[in-house]
Amino acid sequence: MPPRMYLKSSWSALTISDPAGAYSLNRYSKIAGITQQEPVPLQTFLKYSDWFQRQAVPDIDQSYVQTLRQDGKGFQLDMADGRNIKASRVVVASGVSSFAYIPEFARHLPANLASHSQEYSDFSQFSGNKVVVVGSGQSALESAALLHEAGAAVELIARGPVNWINRRLYNYTGPAKRIFYPPSDVGPPGVNWLVAFPLLFRLFPDKTRVRLDARAVRPAGAQWLRPRVEGHISITPNTSITNAVEQGQGVSLTLSDGTRREIDHVILGTGYQANIDALTFIDSALREQVQVHNGYPLLNEWFESSVPLLHFIGAPAWYTFGPLCRFVVGARVAARQIARHSTKIA
Ligand SMILES: Cc1cc2nc3c(=O)[nH]c(=O)nc-3n(C[C@H](O)[C@H](O)[C@H](O)COP(=O)(O)OP(=O)(O)OC[C@H]3O[C@@H](n4cnc5c(N)ncnc54)[C@H](O)[C@@H]3O)c2cc1C
């Protein structure tokens, strides 16, 4: 992520969970002499997570798993450095980067003409370029602002309207804000309480879960980003891109309103769509055994898939446990459930 990004989550939702609650963001900020501020700068969170890791999980084997396969009743992990590791239980917590969503119109374009917003920690290479950003969520809107600030001429094109999150009840209700916003703080008031308890969320019917999720994480930008976008970036809402062809050094886009754009590059702020088939480090024979719905593994209350002792947490778990799983705040329930399951059957 670009170093000058801010996190959309509020301060209370950025504590990484540990069993005793000893390594909270509040505690770190006291030790490091940092004052609580919102929006939380990415750098503050990165320093905190680095501190958390050194305190709570100092023993990390920093290498890549090239292949994860089943081995009798357990698993074997072939590591990128040549080692083979046996494990009786595996927790897949490999994040969102494999799930970057590339819309159909851009799939054939080369990387120098179209790329996903997650590719960049710095947009200075686009200074003086004409760039279209696709999407209307926080990533698209913040990428557009950063591109403009880096000297690009930016247009944002979105299928739907551009919405800004209204947090009046958070800003003006003082200590009572917790009535409207639980500390997990995912989704608008009302929906945020319904998604705050993933083990209960799991019990809702499929359709309700999907609807609640869509409402909780619908594309929208944080209010603090608004002045950096409006008046600086040309916005074309309710319009999709129907075709894209290479043209000279750039790309020509055809829009659903019949107009065209000739530009240097398209940045896809189109988010992520979890699908375990994108986790190619899991051997295909093992992936085939995992029961899925639209690519999402079906999980029991222990975040365990249909393959015993193979767990999935983070983005792949949302279909079962809801939108909290996509956020830092969702780590707590996943870690507790898996730890309980480990002691239950140890
Ligand atoms: C632009 C952006 C903004 C965000 N803002 C927020 C926010 O404000 N609040 C919030 O709560 N969340 C936010 N998120 C979501 C955030 O990514 C997750 O909440 C958090 O990072 C999830 O943690 P994780 O451990 O599941 O995944 P990650 O943090 O992505 O960690 C996954 C790890 O697995 C490693 N890995 C992957 N494959 C392998 C392999 N084969 N072998 C070994 N290691 C592997 C990766 O290298 C990585 O270190 C944001 C995400 C993005 C992209």
Side-chain angles (χ1 to χ4, degrees), residues 208-278:
T208 312
R209 292 205 313 279
V210 170
R211 240 184 261 147
L212 281 173
D213 181 79
R215 184 62 192 93
V217 289
R218 75 173 176 156
Q223 279 296 336
W224 50 262
L225 186 56
R226 202 167 179 172
R228 290 169 56 198
V229 172
E230 288 183 342
H232 302 290
I233 286 149
S234 150
I235 297 182
T236 308
N238 304 310
T239 309
S240 45
I241 296 171
T242 54
N243 195 28
V245 286
E246 287 186 57
Q247 192 171 73
Q249 305 287 307
V251 55
S252 169
L253 305 176
T254 307
L255 275 53
S256 54
D257 61 7
T259 59
R260 280 175 194 262
R261 304 287 188 276
E262 263 128 53
I263 52 149
D264 297 300
H265 196 92
V266 191
I267 299 276
L268 305 161
T270 41
Y272 299 85
Q273 230 172 57
N275 183 331
I276 67 158
D277 279 334

Side-chain angles (χ1 to χ4, degrees), residues 41-315:
L42 173 63
Q43 295 308 317
T44 301
F45 181 71
L46 289 180
K47 283 184 201 147
Y48 160 60
S49 50
D50 191 42
W51 173 82
F52 179 97
Q53 182 261 307
R54 280 184 275 114
Q55 306 294 322
V57 210
D59 188 19
I60 290 186
D61 181 342
Q62 293 211 10
S63 41
Y64 261 82
V65 178
Q66 208 151 49
T67 311
L68 164 64
R69 70 179 90 245
Q70 216 161 11
D71 178 26
K73 281 193 176 160
F75 302 93
Q76 177 169 315
L77 297 96
D78 302 334
M79 308 301 287
D81 57 16
R83 285 174 299 145
N84 304 117
I85 296 172
K86 301 249 184 240
S88 54
R89 179 191 302 271
V90 171
V91 180
V92 177
S94 48
V96 286
S97 60
S98 324
F99 304 131
Y101 176 69
I102 310 291
E104 182 88 41
F105 78 85
R107 287 187 195 151
H108 65 286
L109 292 173
N112 63 326
L113 296 180
S115 49
H116 194 271
S117 57
Q118 74 165 355
E119 309 284 327
Y120 299 95
S121 56
D122 176 14
F123 287 109
S124 57
Q125 71 186 89
F126 295 107
S127 175
N129 285 183
K130 278 191 197 167
V131 180
V132 157
V133 175
V134 184
S136 58
Q138 179 75 6
S139 286
L141 291 162
E142 199 166 8
S143 298
L146 289 164
L147 278 157
H148 163 74
E149 288 155 13
V154 188
E155 178 177 359
L156 184 121
I157 299 177
R159 287 190 296 200
V162 170
N163 293 308
W164 298 98
I165 296 167
N166 173 351
R167 284 171 67 83
R168 230 169 282 151
L169 287 170
Y170 185 82
N171 295 326
Y172 300 119
T173 46
K177 72 181 174 198
R178 284 285 163 252
I179 299 169
F180 305 104
Y181 293 89
S184 53
D185 202 7
V186 171
V191 171
N192 53 11
W193 277 107
L194 291 173
V195 304
F197 304 100
L199 295 178
L200 287 179
F201 182 93
R202 179 178 158 263
L203 304 177
F204 291 132
D206 289 14
K207 274 193 186 153
T208 312
R209 292 205 313 279
V210 170
R211 240 184 261 147
L212 281 173
D213 181 79
R215 184 62 192 93
V217 289
R218 75 173 176 156
Q223 279 296 336
W224 50 262
L225 186 56
R226 202 167 179 172
R228 290 169 56 198
V229 172
E230 288 183 342
H232 302 290
I233 286 149
S234 150
I235 297 182
T236 308
N238 304 310
T239 309
S240 45
I241 296 171
T242 54
N243 195 28
V245 286
E246 287 186 57
Q247 192 171 73
Q249 305 287 307
V251 55
S252 169
L253 305 176
T254 307
L255 275 53
S256 54
D257 61 7
T259 59
R260 280 175 194 262
R261 304 287 188 276
E262 263 128 53
I263 52 149
D264 297 300
H265 196 92
V266 191
I267 299 276
L268 305 161
T270 41
Y272 299 85
Q273 230 172 57
N275 183 331
I276 67 158
D277 279 334
L279 300 177
T280 48
F281 71 91
I282 306 178
D283 150 84
S284 56
L286 178 52
R287 260 185 279 137
E288 273 162 28
Q289 284 187 59
V290 177
Q291 279 177 20
V292 294
H293 173 84
N294 285 343
Y296 291 92
L298 297 174
L299 305 173
N300 65 17
E301 66 190 299
W302 312 109
F303 288 73
E304 183 186 31
S305 69
S306 52
V307 175
L309 304 181
L310 178 64
H311 304 260
F312 288 87
I313 63 174

